[in-house]
Amino acid sequence: MKNIIEFKDVSKYFGSLKVLDGLNLEVGAGEKLALIGPSGSGKTTILRILMTLETIESGLITVEGKPLWHEKVNETLVPASEAHLQKMRQIIGMVFQQFNLFPHLTALSNIEQPQILVRKVTKEEAREKAANLMDLVGLEDKKDHYPHQLSGGQQQRVAIARALAMDPKIMLFDEVTSALDPELVDEVLSVLKKIATTTDTTMLTVTHEMNFAREFADRILFFDKGQIVEQGLPEGIFTNPKEPRTRGFLKKYITGLT
Amino acid sequence: MEWDWNVVASVTPSLLNGLIVTVQATIVGAVLAYVLGLVIAILKMSGNKAVAFITYWSSEFIRRTPLLVQLYFLFYVLPDFGIFLSPFVAGVIGLGLHFSTYTSEVYRAGIENVPKGQWEAARSLNYSAYHTWRFVILPQAIPPMFPPLANYLITMFKETPLLSAITVVELFNAANIYSNSHYKYLEPMTLVGLFFLLVSIPAAMIALKIENKYKPLN
């Protein structure tokens, strides 16, 4: 499997706090990854760096073989220009914990507008795709609703559709059910599972839903203190974690683990 | 003291002229305050630290000193530097400049109140800077600005009597001139209050309508 994402010795600080500590990570094209671990362990930061919302202090990240935060000028790597970042962002889409839908636009327009502005497709094309995606996430009857007229779960499904409309090769999901009431979590997770099984999009998910992670992911990464402590197949990590830190963390979520 | 309708009849024409000047000064001053405020807000948010710093402190200086002093400065001090302004021009510049420091805060707050997540969503969808401002930030930032901007208009209207200090014959000054020459204060000053109310109550009602119309969505 060809790697679509590579982190080489990547470090990131917030002031004097080291949030990523010499991270190395390879993600295969089409792979579904679940990132788990205590809060503050750096897993959300990885997504935000990939989405170019946070810079890195050292190391190199490549996406589809091209450096993300750098570009080549006369054979030397220099910090990326905004133009380069814009090119790279075409490959990547993100769904946020707080949905971040545009409140002044209807659900359908939220999905249409980015296609029209960024991908320069026609209004009709954008509308058709938006309608199809609203079907996919099970909201075909909510097209003309504004975000504030939708439940959290419905808003999040619109946000997923909006990200999908841009045809990203990599999708990032940052704790997408953490802000939801418990009864609304499943409707969002089942949409994620549907996308995972029906597309070859590479997916990175930061989540605290362990049952979901187990079903959804090809590989689980356990993070602590800015490093990958343990990684592997869901079966192995959830039934027989090797590292004491992984075991300690998972005990809170999985009954029967000792 | 007896209410004298003859005084009412003789003072009303000059009061109406004064009211026209008051409304004119308010409108011109407000337009100035709105435009200048936007310029100040943009300069304050400028990436250039020196520009932002100078703008911030100049605007604080204007905001924290009395309008009356500023009017005196514009009308009585500037001529010493060879700059001569008519009372009306000095008045609206003073009014507009003073309140631009308030409106600039309205603009700044409007923009800063758009959640950070909106910027991040726009970036994650690969919006250009122009598209982000035009289609995401401003449509959310501008509607909540209308109510405070409308309220500053009403405040400016009520501050116009200060312009009498630099000889502008607005509503209050018109009454004052009459009173001083006829030794009649009750009727002219009552009428001044009444005229102000006649304008500011409907204006306040419109402002309230605007406030309800542009309530935030969430």
Side-chain angles (χ1 to χ4, degrees):
Chain A
M1 191 155 41
K2 209 172 140 243
N3 288 332
I4 190 165
I5 302 171
E6 291 183 3
F7 279 64
K8 285 179 198 135
D9 201 20
V10 172
S11 291
K12 163 81 187 166
Y13 299 81
F14 287 133
S16 61
L17 181 75
K18 203 170 201 175
V19 278
L20 290 185
D21 189 1
L23 180 78
N24 288 293
L25 171 64
E26 294 177 353
V27 184
E31 206 178 359
K32 322 293 180 207
L33 242 57
L35 286 62
I36 62 170
S39 17
S41 58
K43 43 198 203 308
T44 287
T45 305
I46 292 177
L47 302 195
R48 292 177 57 82
I49 288 171
L50 279 169
M51 196 63 257
T52 71
L53 300 174
E54 304 277 0
T55 56
I56 56 174
E57 266 76 49
S58 66
L60 184 70
I61 299 169
T62 58
V63 173
E64 288 196 313
K66 292 182 284 284
L68 177 68
W69 275 105
H70 301 83
E71 62 185 312
K72 256 190 185 147
V73 176
N74 303 328
E75 294 307 304
T76 51
L77 283 179
V78 299
S81 63
E82 184 56 32
H84 175 78
L85 292 177
Q86 265 189 32
K87 229 179 276 166
M88 297 304 287
R89 278 200 289 268
Q90 291 172 8
I91 310 170
I92 306 165
M94 183 158 175
V95 182
F96 299 88
Q97 186 178 347
Q98 300 294 341
F99 332 133
N100 296 345
L101 289 177
F102 301 140
H104 55 298
L105 301 179
T106 63
L108 199 70
S109 303
N110 261 282
I111 309 173
E112 279 172 9
Q113 192 188 67
Q115 299 182 63
I116 296 166
L117 295 180
V118 179
R119 298 183 61 231
K120 314 281 180 209
V121 304
T122 63
K123 259 199 151 87
E124 293 72 33
E125 240 179 289
R127 171 142 303 202
E128 199 190 325
K129 185 164 194 176
N132 288 339
L133 284 164
M134 285 292 275
D135 281 354
L136 178 82
V137 299
L139 292 171
E140 53 281 354
D141 57 338
K142 305 284 187 206
K143 291 190 181 86
D144 297 322
H145 286 56
Y146 284 87
H148 72 278
Q149 299 170 316
L150 300 172
S151 74
Q154 291 168 336
Q155 289 190 54
Q156 193 58 295
R157 285 187 277 157
V158 175
I160 292 169
R162 180 175 70 173
L164 283 175
M166 307 302 279
D167 287 335
K169 292 183 186 159
I170 300 166
M171 282 275 277
L172 311 170
F173 298 93
D174 183 19
E175 299 196 28
V176 292
T177 59
S178 295
L180 298 178
D181 293 332
E183 72 272 18
L184 301 177
V185 168
D186 281 343
E187 62 185 67
V188 172
L189 294 183
S190 65
V191 167
L192 289 195
K193 283 185 239 168
K194 185 148 81 173
I195 301 163
T197 48
T198 54
T199 69
D200 55 4
T201 314
T202 306
M203 295 169 80
L204 273 67
T205 307
V206 170
T207 186
H208 292 290
E209 301 285 337
M210 296 305 151
N211 289 327
F212 163 73
R214 188 169 185 166
E215 260 184 83
F216 160 91
D218 303 322
R219 179 158 52 122
I220 307 284
L221 302 178
F222 175 71
F223 276 82
D224 195 19
K225 301 196 173 87
Q227 287 174 321
I228 300 171
V229 175
E230 184 170 356
Q231 57 175 309
L233 297 173
E235 273 320 299
I237 299 275
F238 286 121
T239 54
N240 188 22
K242 302 215 164 32
E243 297 292 327
R245 270 193 281 175
T246 318
R247 189 170 281 272
F249 174 76
L250 286 176
K251 260 196 228 167
K252 279 176 276 172
Y253 292 91
I254 298 170
T255 46
L257 196 71
T258 50
Chain B
M1 180 151 258
E2 290 275 307
W3 180 266
D4 187 346
W5 287 103
N6 291 325
V7 174
V8 173
S10 78
V11 76
T12 297
S14 57
L15 289 190
L16 285 175
N17 284 332
L19 181 62
I20 290 169
V21 175
T22 290
V23 170
Q24 283 171 337
T26 305
I27 290 172
V28 179
V31 169
L32 203 63
Y34 292 159
V35 174
L36 219 56
L38 188 60
V39 174
I40 293 173
I42 291 169
L43 291 180
K44 262 200 237 174
M45 290 185 281
S46 159
N48 185 326
K49 287 266 159 60
V51 170
F53 182 84
I54 291 168
T55 316
Y56 174 81
W57 283 108
S58 317
S59 129
E60 278 298 290
F61 177 72
I62 295 169
R63 196 151 65 112
R64 306 286 176 207
T65 49
L67 174 56
L68 185 61
V69 177
Q70 290 158 14
L71 290 171
Y72 261 69
F73 191 88
L74 286 167
F75 189 66
Y76 293 112
V77 179
L78 281 189
D80 292 347
F81 298 94
I83 301 169
F84 296 87
L85 302 171
S86 76
F88 183 81
V89 170
V92 294
I93 289 177
L95 206 56
L97 190 66
H98 189 78
F99 279 92
S100 69
T101 62
Y102 288 89
T103 59
S104 75
E105 284 299 295
V106 174
Y107 296 126
R108 191 188 55 76
I111 288 164
E112 286 185 359
N113 282 343
V114 176
K116 194 167 148 254
Q118 294 291 309
W119 293 90
E120 295 187 343
R123 193 165 162 91
S124 77
L125 293 164
N126 218 358
Y127 279 32
S128 65
Y130 169 74
H131 285 153
T132 302
W133 279 101
R134 166 70 184 78
F135 293 103
V136 179
I137 303 306
L138 290 181
Q140 295 180 61
I142 290 174
M145 294 174 185
F146 288 139
L149 290 181
N151 281 322
Y152 278 128
L153 183 68
I154 297 170
T155 307
M156 289 174 77
F157 174 69
K158 289 191 299 177
E159 293 292 315
T160 48
L162 286 174
L163 270 54
S164 65
I166 53 168
T167 75
V168 177
V169 186
E170 42 64 63
L171 178 57
F172 166 76
N173 207 10
N176 201 31
I177 289 166
Y178 182 94
S179 296
N180 287 338
S181 55
H182 294 79
Y183 302 103
K184 289 280 184 189
Y185 290 89
L186 173 66
E187 298 84 359
M189 289 307 155
T190 307
L191 287 173
V192 167
L194 207 62
F195 279 145
F196 269 105
L197 272 183
L198 279 178
V199 178
S200 62
I201 285 179
M205 284 163 71
I206 293 169
L208 198 69
K209 268 223 164 84
I210 293 174
E211 202 161 329
N212 287 329
K213 184 169 175 195
Y214 294 109
K215 263 194 199 134
L217 287 174
N218 291 323

